[in-house]
Amino acid sequence: MGNTTGVRVASAAAIVAALVFGAEGLGDAWGVLAFGPPALRLAGTVVAGVCGAVVLVAALRSQDRRAVAFGVAVLAFALAWAVPGPIGDGLYWIARAALVAFGVLTVRGLRGPQRVLGWVVTIAAALWFVVSVLTQTVPPPSTAQEVLAVVYAVPGVLQAVAFLAAAVLVAVPLLRPVGTGAGSLWSSAEVR
């Protein structure tokens, strides 16, 4: 497998993983997946975990710190769902921290729209980290069902925002050839 093909495979795997966990975050926020079919969530988590392992192996081979952080975030998040108890809880915290690291490395290393998306990932993942701590340690301000629904939906929304913005960032290697081809067509076209 050539280097370009390997980058594209890792990018595709990262996109799948980010979309799965972004969708799970939205599902948790709306209460769809939290009470929905567990087989669907299990299948998505397994697929995302395998994709995370692919990304992590490719990132370690290429020594790409951004991709390593993303691979760790996805793999830890997938494993946390399968491992009960304090180890699973620790893996959730590792996943959130690795996603923050992915965002910070993106902000530090890239420019333009990718840097803006890096800020979105960083802020959403950091807020997801903080809000998750608060929802687990601080009692909600009210026991009204509406308040509880909003309070416990916020982490899911932040998870979705962080992973969906990350999905756009990891899609760049797949979109770059499309942009190059479109630019070539545009420059060679005769406009009259």
Side-chain angles (χ1 to χ4, degrees):
M1 182 162 55
N3 188 26
T4 303
T5 305
V7 168
R8 289 182 183 158
V9 167
S11 179
I15 291 168
V16 168
L19 290 176
V20 165
F21 287 139
E24 283 186 10
L26 287 176
D28 286 348
W30 288 327
V32 175
L33 293 177
F35 303 106
L40 176 66
R41 187 170 186 142
L42 176 63
T45 302
V46 168
V47 167
V50 169
C51 290
V54 168
V55 171
L56 188 58
V57 168
L60 289 171
R61 284 185 174 183
S62 67
Q63 298 178 349
D64 182 358
R65 294 183 334 181
R66 272 184 60 226
V68 167
F70 185 78
V72 167
V74 169
L75 195 56
F77 200 70
L79 290 173
W81 198 75
V83 178
I87 294 173
D89 292 340
L91 287 170
Y92 277 124
W93 297 116
I94 290 170
R96 292 176 183 121
L99 198 56
V100 170
F102 169 75
V104 168
L105 290 170
T106 300
V107 169
R108 291 183 62 199
L110 299 175
R111 300 283 178 244
Q114 291 177 329
R115 185 175 187 161
V116 173
L117 283 172
W119 277 112
V120 171
V121 171
T122 303
I123 292 168
L127 287 174
W128 178 32
F129 192 95
V130 170
V131 169
S132 295
V133 168
L134 292 176
T135 57
Q136 293 178 6
T137 58
V138 177
S142 171
T143 57
Q145 188 63 31
E146 297 81 19
V147 173
L148 291 175
V150 170
V151 166
Y152 291 110
V154 172
V157 170
L158 292 171
Q159 172 188 340
V161 169
F163 275 112
L164 294 176
V168 175
L169 282 170
V170 296
V172 170
L174 291 177
L175 298 176
R176 191 169 287 131
V178 173
T180 303
S184 297
L185 285 174
W186 181 260
S187 66
S188 67
E190 292 184 23
V191 180
R192 295 176 195 229

